[in-house]
């Protein structure tokens, strides 16, 4: 039975258990921070599965996690912010996916890991790109998030960085990120289908790992507390930094 499940993923036994551990950790991070699932998966698995094949898997996992977290996020999310970000992201995703489909796998792996590394470092150092706090900051952040989502499925980090620049309350930030990631599911799916990236194998891999990510989300949600949210966020970002740094070093 287990061997049949592993066969559905197209991975070796060792690769499968590595992916399982990474996906559970990603769910844990998503559960208490509201973002970071795809970034953890991308940083931890990109040396096993190329980004062009991993992005649709991340989509399936993000969709499952977003639905699981939706109920507690509807009331506290900043809906105006979410809608503006989602519109910008809808424009950016096809651009990022177009770039991903035309670069070599090894190059896209390095791009993905460097994106995670750079964005995570920016979050830890609280460095905010110029213009994020200006009049066009919200649509610009959404557009950039969409492009980064198409390239490496880590647009949530861009949005989190933007929300950080607004000094939003932890609960509102977490809820807004959850709703934003869910809102982008439809437009992202259209782009994935257009570029023929949502393959049968991607769906099989996503389906196999959904229960694992939901288990992580469940425990992560239990750990979340607005009072200690800053500590959880720093722990999450430190984990992402380590994973992406290890991935870059392995590719080099």
């Amino acid at each position: 039975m287990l061997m049949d499940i592993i066969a559905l993923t197209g991975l070796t036994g060792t690769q499968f258990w590595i992916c399982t551990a990474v996906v559970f950790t990603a769910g844990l991070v998503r559960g208490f921070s509201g973002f970071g699932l795809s970034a953890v998966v991308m940083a931890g698995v990109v040396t096993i599965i190329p980004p062009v094949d991993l992005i649709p898997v991340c989509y399936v996992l993000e969709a499952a996690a977003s639905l699981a977290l939706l109920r507690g996020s509807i009331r506290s999310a900043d809906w105006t912010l979410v809608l503006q970000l989602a519109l910008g992201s809808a424009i950016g995703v096809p651009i990022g996916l177009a770039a991903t489909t035309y670069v070599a796998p090894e190059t896209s792996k390095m791009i993905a890991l460097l994106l995670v590394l750079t964005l995570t470092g920016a979050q830890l150092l609280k460095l905010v790109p110029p213009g994020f706090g200006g009049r066009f900051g919200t649509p610009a952040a959404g557009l950039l998030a969409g492009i980064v989502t198409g390239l490496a499925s880590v647009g949530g980090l861009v949005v989190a960085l933007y929300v950080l620049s607004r000094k939003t309350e932890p609960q509102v930030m977490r809820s807004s990120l959850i709703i934003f990631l869910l809102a982008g599911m439809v437009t992202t799916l259209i782009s994935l289908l257009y570029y023929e990236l949502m393959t049968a194998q991607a769906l099989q891999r996503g389906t196999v790992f959904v229960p694992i990510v939901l288990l992580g989300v469940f425990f992560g949600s239990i750990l979340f507390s607005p009072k200690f949210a800053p500590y959880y966020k720093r722990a999450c970002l430190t984990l992402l930094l380590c994973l992406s740094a290890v991935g870059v070093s392995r590719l080099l």
Side-chain angles (χ1 to χ4, degrees), residues 83-239:
L83 290 175
Q84 291 180 8
L85 289 170
L87 288 173
S89 179
I91 298 172
V93 168
I95 299 173
L97 284 174
T100 299
T101 56
Y102 286 106
V103 298
E106 290 302 312
T107 302
S108 59
K109 285 181 185 180
M110 183 61 76
I111 290 173
L113 288 170
L114 288 176
L115 279 171
V116 176
L117 188 65
T118 302
L119 292 173
T120 304
Q123 285 250 26
L124 281 169
L125 297 173
K126 297 184 179 180
L127 298 176
V128 181
F132 259 25
R135 179 180 176 184
F136 300 103
T138 303
L143 178 65
L144 180 58
I147 294 173
V148 172
T149 295
L151 277 171
S153 199
V154 292
L157 281 181
V158 176
V159 174
L161 184 60
Y162 174 68
V163 175
L164 177 66
S165 72
R166 295 166 60 94
K167 299 180 180 179
T168 307
E169 291 294 323
Q171 180 63 50
V172 176
M173 181 184 78
R174 179 175 180 269
S175 297
S176 298
L177 285 167
I178 289 169
I179 298 297
F180 163 75
L181 291 170
L182 181 61
M185 292 289 103
V186 175
T187 53
T188 300
L189 178 59
I190 293 172
S191 297
L192 288 172
L193 292 174
Y194 177 79
Y195 286 103
E196 299 182 349
L197 297 179
M198 186 57 77
T199 62
Q201 186 176 66
L203 286 172
Q204 289 174 350
R205 285 171 172 168
T207 302
V208 167
F209 289 119
V210 159
I212 306 300
V213 80
L214 290 180
L215 187 63
V217 167
F218 173 75
F219 285 109
S221 298
I222 292 176
L223 290 172
F224 177 76
S225 168
K227 181 178 179 181
F228 300 110
Y231 300 103
Y232 293 139
K233 179 181 177 181
R234 182 162 290 275
C236 157
L237 292 172
T238 301
L239 175 63

Side-chain angles (χ1 to χ4, degrees), residues 2-3 6-7 9-23 44-45 47-49 209 250:
L2 179 59
M3 296 305 296
I6 295 175
T9 65
L11 304 171
T12 66
T14 301
Q15 290 174 335
F16 173 81
W17 290 114
I18 291 174
C19 290
T20 297
V22 172
V23 167
V45 180
T47 54
I48 296 175
I49 304 174
F209 289 119
R250 287 177 63 183

